[in-house]
């Protein structure tokens, strides 16, 4: 079950920089990047933990653009919006909520999780291989355009939830958007009850920062397993779950699980719906199922490393369960793996909230759900250091994975082909005094500054030529109260060396875009 990015834990946003004098990553640098990518990837888990953007200034309106009955005021960001757009052959009418750049629309048909021999598709295949087709029905081709009811309301998001903000979500119109998580399809599947389990893989869309572990489009997989009280022998759901658990394979990996199956404060039982025995049976089935999946992923990662590195030293795989909080499961856990000297969070999961089944008219059902980010796992599996590479059409990248889906034993680590230098350029500006974020709250706010708006301008102008964008400095003028900000933009192409003239051209267009679309005053 997928949750919004805004519910994720605070994310490590700084990514190790490769300076102009060292363009090939060392093994230790790669390991460091992967650890940070994994931490940053927490924001992309289908099930996520705690408020993240609560620390940010919500934009567009006091309700963060959330209430469907209160559309945001027009802004310069969509001043040239088309009357209609087409996504995968379907036409949609836009309104003042529209904020989808053409660069993002162009990616809606790529579906990397279905592209033969693509690392994202290979990762999906490896995960799917550990879930029987007799039980888990696959859904890999859901359309990315969904309603606000599907994406938010069916999952219990309140009208003013920050996840609904246009600063975080791509809207086509007030009631239609590009899904932000695979759980947008959950209510539909629970209501249809077409199988005892399901796996959804899909492209999802979120406005986010620019760095090597974030991209406006990425891929998630979520899975669920359900039992029906009215269909199990003698109505004994506990016995039925343990019988299904006995059918699963075992593994010999060390698993640390020191916490109790549930805890009244830290990890509560849904006592009004489940007995302790039922929750513990569901948890046991869930944990074995996901352990088998993770063992498969990391066993293949080790085999790939050993095939390419004659000095590779294997170390026993260690796995641990830690308590967590997710809005759609309870009790809840995260699964972590000790990898390259650090504990990495791999996925989130838990016993599904019974309200989801009740709202889907299936109150007699109960079960578990999990969510995982495919790019994040692929970065670990293949040691791919930059998320932009997944969208590359360069044969030097794609050819490295040819034939792997037909023979997973051919899986190998990515071999970098890019040694192109970085080019850093700073942009400093004053926020508008008419913006609350600019320091003048007495004047009506036309369009508050939000960092994601800046990121969108950079992406629209320079696309994948930008490796990352970082806030370097900010201050408020002691007399005027105006706020100044300075961002560093790191221009680095994955496919060629940028000339200084090319970088200057991109940067000047970014500067002008910030003025035209955000109304800032350049310094």
């Amino acid at each position: 079950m997928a949750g919004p990015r805004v519910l994720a834990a605070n994310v490590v946003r700084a990514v190790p920089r490769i300076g102009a004098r060292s363009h090939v990553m060392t093994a230790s640098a790669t390991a460091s990047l992967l650890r940070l990518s994994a931490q940053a990837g927490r924001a992309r888990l289908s099930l996520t933990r705690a408020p993240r953007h609560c620390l940010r200034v919500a934009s567009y309106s006091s309700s963060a653009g959330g209430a469907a009955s209160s559309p945001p005021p027009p802004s310069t960001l969509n001043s040239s919006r088309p009357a209609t757009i087409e996504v995968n052959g379907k036409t949609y009418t836009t309104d003042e909520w529209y904020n989808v750049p053409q660069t993002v629309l162009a990616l809606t048909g790529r579906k990397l999780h279905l592209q033969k021999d693509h690392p994202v598709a290979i990762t999906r295949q490896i995960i799917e291989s550990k879930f029987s087709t007799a039980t888990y029905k696959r859904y890999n081709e859901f359309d990315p355009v969904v309603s606000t009811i599907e994406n938010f309301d069916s999952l219990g998001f309140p009208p003013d939830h920050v996840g609904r903000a246009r600063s975080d979500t791509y809207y086509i119109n007030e009631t239609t958007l590009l899904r932000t998580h695979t759980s947008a399809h959950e209510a539909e599947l629970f209501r249809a009850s077409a199988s005892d389990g399901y796996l959804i893989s899909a492209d999802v869309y979120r406005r986010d920062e620019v760095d090597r572990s974030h991209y406006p489009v990425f891929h998630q997989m979520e899975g669920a397993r359900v039992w029906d009280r009215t269909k199990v022998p003698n109505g004994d759901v506990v016995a039925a779950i343990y019988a299904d658990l006995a059918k699963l394979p075992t593994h010999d990996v060390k698993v640390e699980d020191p916490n109790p199956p549930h805890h009244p404060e830290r990890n509560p039982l849904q006592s009004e719906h489940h007995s302790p025995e039922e929750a513990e049976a569901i948890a046991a089935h869930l944990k074995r199922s996901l352990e088998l999946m993770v063992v498969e992923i990391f066993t293949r990662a080790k085999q790939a490393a050993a095939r390419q590195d004659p000095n590779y030293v294997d170390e026993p795989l260690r796995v641990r369960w830690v308590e967590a909080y997710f809005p759609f499961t309870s009790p809840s856990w995260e699964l972590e793996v000790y990898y390259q000297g650090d504990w990495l969070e791999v996925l989130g999961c838990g016993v599904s909230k019974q309200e989801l089944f009740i709202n889907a008219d299936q109150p007699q059902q109960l079960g578990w759900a999990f969510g995982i980010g495919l790019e994040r796992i692929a970065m670990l599996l293949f040691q791919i250091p930059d998320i932009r590479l997944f969208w590359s059409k360069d044969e030097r990248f794609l050819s490295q994975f040819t034939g792997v889906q037909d023979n997973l034993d051919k899986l190998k680590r990515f071999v970098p082909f890019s040694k192109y230098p970085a080019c850093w350029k700073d942009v400093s500006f004053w926020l508008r005094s008419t913006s609350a974020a600019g320091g003048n709250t007495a004047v009506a706010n036309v369009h508050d500054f939000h960092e994601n708006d800046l990121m969108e301008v950079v992406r629209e102008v320079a696309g994948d030529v930008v490796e990352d964008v970082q806030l370097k400095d900010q201050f408020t003028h002691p007399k005027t109260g105006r706020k100044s900000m300075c961002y560093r933009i790191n221009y680095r192409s994955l496919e060629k060396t940028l000339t200084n003239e090319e970088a200057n051209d991109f940067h000047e267009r970014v500067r002008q875009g910030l003025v035209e679309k955000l109304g800032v005053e350049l310094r």
Side-chain angles (χ1 to χ4, degrees):
M1 177 175 61
R5 177 190 67 251
V6 295
L7 293 173
N10 290 338
V11 173
V12 175
R13 297 175 59 189
V15 178
R17 183 184 304 280
I18 306 172
R21 289 178 296 174
S22 177
H23 311 307
V24 181
M25 299 186 71
T26 64
S28 60
T30 301
S32 176
L33 173 60
L34 290 173
R35 284 195 293 273
L36 284 175
S37 296
Q39 288 176 301
R42 292 179 186 179
R44 305 196 181 280
L45 283 177
S46 297
L47 286 172
T48 48
R49 181 164 52 188
R52 173 188 176 198
H53 289 321
C54 297
L55 301 177
R56 294 186 178 179
V57 178
S59 64
Y60 299 102
S61 72
S62 60
S63 64
S69 59
S70 180
S75 78
T76 54
L77 280 179
N78 63 0
S79 58
S80 59
R81 67 174 171 86
T84 62
I85 63 166
E86 184 175 299
V87 180
N88 292 339
K90 298 179 182 179
T91 300
Y92 301 90
T93 301
T94 70
D95 62 15
E96 66 268 22
W97 283 70
Y98 179 75
N99 66 346
V100 189
Q102 184 58 42
T103 51
V104 170
L105 284 177
L107 299 176
T108 55
R110 292 285 299 275
K111 299 180 179 179
L112 303 184
H113 63 298
L114 298 178
Q115 183 178 321
K116 182 69 179 294
D117 288 333
H118 192 281
V120 172
I122 296 167
T123 303
R124 172 189 60 79
Q125 178 180 320
I126 291 172
I127 296 173
E128 286 181 345
S129 71
K130 305 311 294 182
F131 295 92
S132 168
T133 56
T135 301
Y136 298 89
K137 189 171 182 179
R138 277 66 161 148
Y139 296 91
N140 294 329
E141 301 200 35
F142 280 130
D143 196 90
V145 179
V146 299
S147 68
T148 52
I149 292 175
E150 292 171 309
N151 201 78
F152 297 122
D153 299 331
S154 69
L155 298 168
F157 284 71
D160 61 349
H161 194 285
V162 67
R164 298 177 184 256
R166 290 197 303 168
S167 58
D168 283 31
T169 296
Y170 291 114
Y171 281 92
I172 294 174
N173 56 51
E174 183 179 357
T175 60
T176 312
L177 52 86
L178 295 178
R179 63 182 163 226
T180 64
H181 47 208
T182 48
S183 281
H185 309 287
E186 185 175 88
E188 173 189 351
L189 295 184
F190 278 163
R191 183 169 287 107
S193 193
S195 59
D196 292 334
Y198 69 74
L199 298 174
I200 301 174
S201 298
D203 43 331
V204 299
Y205 300 77
R206 299 182 189 177
R207 302 178 89 232
D208 214 333
E209 58 257 56
V210 178
D211 61 36
R212 285 184 284 175
S213 62
H214 290 83
Y215 206 77
V217 191
F218 55 100
H219 297 76
Q220 288 182 335
M221 176 185 285
E222 79 168 68
R225 179 68 165 90
V226 175
W227 290 268
D228 191 313
R229 298 181 187 276
T230 66
K231 296 180 180 179
V232 298
N234 303 315
D236 190 342
V237 71
V238 173
I241 295 172
Y242 278 119
D244 288 332
L245 174 61
K247 299 174 185 175
L248 296 177
T250 60
H251 61 78
D252 58 2
V253 171
K254 179 181 178 181
V255 178
E256 302 173 24
D257 193 4
N259 296 306
H262 43 83
H263 188 278
E265 286 89 30
R266 299 194 312 264
N267 216 8
L269 172 74
Q270 299 175 58
S271 55
E272 66 275 29
H273 300 296
H274 307 147
S275 70
E277 294 77 16
E278 289 171 341
E280 290 169 21
I282 293 171
H285 191 281
L286 163 66
K287 290 179 177 180
R288 173 80 65 79
S289 300
L290 299 186
E291 288 165 9
L292 290 167
M293 176 188 76
V294 168
V295 168
E296 178 74 8
I297 292 169
F298 283 87
T299 296
R300 291 196 176 277
K302 289 184 176 185
Q303 291 171 344
R307 277 194 289 269
Q308 290 172 267
D309 183 359
N311 298 317
Y312 176 77
V313 178
D314 192 10
E315 59 181 29
L317 184 62
R318 296 169 57 195
V319 175
R320 73 179 182 187
W321 291 99
V322 297
E323 294 175 329
Y325 166 77
F326 303 116
F328 314 131
T329 58
S330 189
S332 303
W333 302 273
E334 290 166 346
L335 182 59
E336 298 184 342
V337 172
Y338 194 76
Y339 185 68
Q340 293 188 346
D342 201 2
W343 284 102
L344 304 180
E345 178 192 334
V346 176
L347 57 84
C349 62
V351 178
S352 296
K353 284 288 185 71
Q354 201 61 27
E355 286 80 7
L356 297 171
F357 294 108
I358 293 171
N359 293 340
D361 300 322
Q362 301 289 351
Q364 78 286 359
Q365 295 184 350
L366 70 170
W368 55 253
F370 79 91
I372 194 168
L374 293 181
E375 275 90 346
R376 181 176 180 218
I377 297 301
M379 290 177 83
L380 295 168
L381 183 62
F382 297 97
Q383 295 216 336
I384 295 173
D386 193 316
I387 197 169
R388 293 177 296 165
L389 280 163
F390 290 112
W391 297 92
S392 174
K393 295 182 180 180
D394 194 315
E395 278 302 309
R396 291 174 295 177
F397 175 74
L398 296 174
S399 63
Q400 295 190 36
F401 313 103
T402 301
V404 174
Q405 280 197 269
D406 291 330
N407 182 5
L408 290 175
D409 290 337
K410 295 174 64 176
L411 189 150
K412 60 183 180 180
R413 289 178 170 182
F414 168 66
V415 178
F417 57 83
S418 169
K419 300 180 181 179
Y420 306 119
C423 184
W424 305 336
K425 296 185 181 297
D426 292 347
V427 56
S428 299
F429 51 84
W430 294 103
L431 297 182
R432 286 189 294 178
S433 58
T434 53
S435 166
N440 189 344
T441 56
V443 180
N445 156 26
V446 176
H447 173 58
D448 281 353
F449 173 82
H450 193 288
E451 187 174 89
N452 283 349
D453 296 337
L454 177 142
M455 300 295 175
E456 287 299 316
V457 172
V458 173
R459 280 197 171 103
E460 280 196 80
V461 171
D464 289 353
V465 168
V466 174
E467 182 172 276
D468 61 63
V469 179
Q470 296 184 24
L471 178 64
K472 301 302 294 183
D473 187 32
Q474 59 181 319
F475 75 95
T476 300
H477 195 284
K479 293 184 178 180
T480 66
R482 293 190 70 188
K483 188 174 184 179
S484 172
M485 308 187 81
C486 175
Y487 282 86
R488 174 160 294 174
I489 303 175
N490 182 17
Y491 297 92
R492 189 206 301 264
S493 171
L494 292 169
E495 299 177 357
K496 70 170 190 174
T497 298
L498 290 177
T499 66
N500 196 52
E501 290 74 15
E502 289 173 319
N504 283 339
D505 178 63
F506 279 123
H507 195 63
E508 183 56 33
R509 287 192 283 143
V510 166
R511 285 164 50 86
Q512 294 308 312
L514 294 175
V515 172
E516 295 168 6
K517 297 194 174 186
L518 303 186
V520 303
E521 179 184 336
L522 297 175
R523 295 185 63 203

